[in-house]
Amino acid sequence: MKIIIINGSPRKKGATAKILHGIEAQLSAKPDTDIEYIDISALSVKPCTGCMSCYKTGKCFIDDEAEALSLRIAEADGLIIGSPTYASNISGQLKQFIDRGHFVIEQLLYGKYAVSVVTGVNYGNRDAAKILGDLLRFSGALMSGSIVCNVPFNTNPCDDKMNTRIKNTAERLYEDIAGKRKHPLQSAFHGMIFSAGIRPFVKKQGEAYRGVTEKWSRMGIKV
């Protein structure tokens, strides 16, 4: 069972990281798990240039750690992404990787399970959580859980209540992957988004999106 955890915060020991490390510890104690924890701020990730060539070739022309991480996510069973809240949104570092990561159009998370973690000091964290949750769902993932934590700056969020949420969230993700659990309502929602929006848009682009349709075919997604 391969699970990737991405800390989208520039702070390697901040509130987001503490929650993610708590989930990592719970999952690492499970049998047959391979957990990879990544600080996005430690990677070399250049910004997207908007050239759209990846949709035709299936690969970004920028050969850096964004492309390598996207390939590892494609091979994983589960993905956990955490971010602090900046201006009611996810962090800039995480957004830069998402722009390069082949998520929505290529359906990077199709057939995978995901968890989102968002921290913040006010109600803007709900907006950031929606942005991150939509990204995961629209990319094909089934959501095993989400954690939204309102926590003052430089405060440890991992009190007894949060530790219980961490344990329960890790358990749901593990059981979802191990049992290949179905989430009919989530699957129906994704099917509607994909069939009504993503697939017809991609087909309309023709040869310019050849790399996308070839990826779908390899993944067993009907073109």
Side-chain angles (χ1 to χ4, degrees):
M1 184 186 298
K2 175 69 175 181
I3 300 172
I4 292 178
I5 302 175
I6 297 176
N7 175 23
S9 173
R11 307 183 74 217
K12 296 181 181 180
K13 297 181 180 180
T16 304
K18 286 180 170 63
I19 294 173
L20 292 175
H21 278 306
I23 297 174
E24 177 189 22
Q26 292 290 327
L27 290 170
S28 296
K30 298 287 187 182
D32 302 318
T33 55
D34 177 10
I35 314 299
E36 181 179 5
Y37 185 99
I38 298 160
D39 287 302
I40 205 73
S41 63
L43 302 184
S44 173
V45 177
K46 296 179 182 178
C48 176
T49 66
C51 72
M52 311 281 277
S53 64
C54 61
Y55 294 145
K56 185 172 185 177
T57 66
K59 183 180 185 299
C60 182
F61 79 92
I62 303 172
D63 187 15
D64 63 8
E65 291 179 280
E67 194 73 10
L69 177 53
S70 183
L71 289 172
R72 297 205 299 280
I73 291 172
E75 296 172 352
D77 302 295
L79 176 66
I80 303 167
I81 300 184
S83 176
T85 301
Y86 293 161
S88 299
N89 209 322
I90 60 176
S91 73
Q93 290 87 348
L94 181 58
K95 180 61 166 62
Q96 187 152 294
F97 168 64
I98 288 169
D99 289 346
R100 294 274 318 285
H102 308 291
F103 278 88
V104 177
I105 295 297
E106 292 96 326
Q107 294 291 285
L108 179 67
L109 306 181
Y110 182 77
K112 305 181 190 304
Y113 297 88
V115 168
S116 64
V117 174
V118 173
T119 61
V121 298
N122 58 37
Y123 56 82
N125 55 24
R126 295 287 172 181
D127 295 328
K130 183 180 185 306
I131 289 168
L132 187 52
D134 284 349
L135 168 79
L136 296 170
R137 284 187 288 268
F138 294 168
S139 300
L142 295 174
M143 294 297 295
S144 297
S146 63
I147 293 176
V148 182
C149 179
N150 194 337
V151 57
F153 182 68
N154 270 348
T155 301
N156 188 345
C158 296
D159 55 14
D160 289 343
K161 184 177 180 180
M162 178 54 68
N163 285 332
T164 298
R165 292 180 66 188
I166 287 171
K167 180 178 179 180
N168 291 341
T169 300
E171 185 69 26
R172 283 196 301 273
L173 177 62
Y174 179 82
E175 294 296 335
D176 273 356
I177 297 173
K180 298 188 185 326
R181 285 179 176 169
K182 300 183 183 300
H183 294 265
L185 291 179
Q186 290 192 51
S187 295
F189 174 75
H190 173 262
M192 179 181 67
I193 295 294
F194 183 77
S195 298
I198 298 172
R199 181 192 286 132
F201 169 77
V202 168
K203 290 180 71 173
K204 187 183 295 184
Q205 310 312 309
E207 182 66 13
Y209 276 51
R210 172 172 47 83
V212 175
T213 55
E214 287 177 352
K215 279 188 178 180
W216 287 359
S217 294
R218 291 194 298 270
M219 296 163 66
I221 300 175
K222 182 179 178 181
V223 178

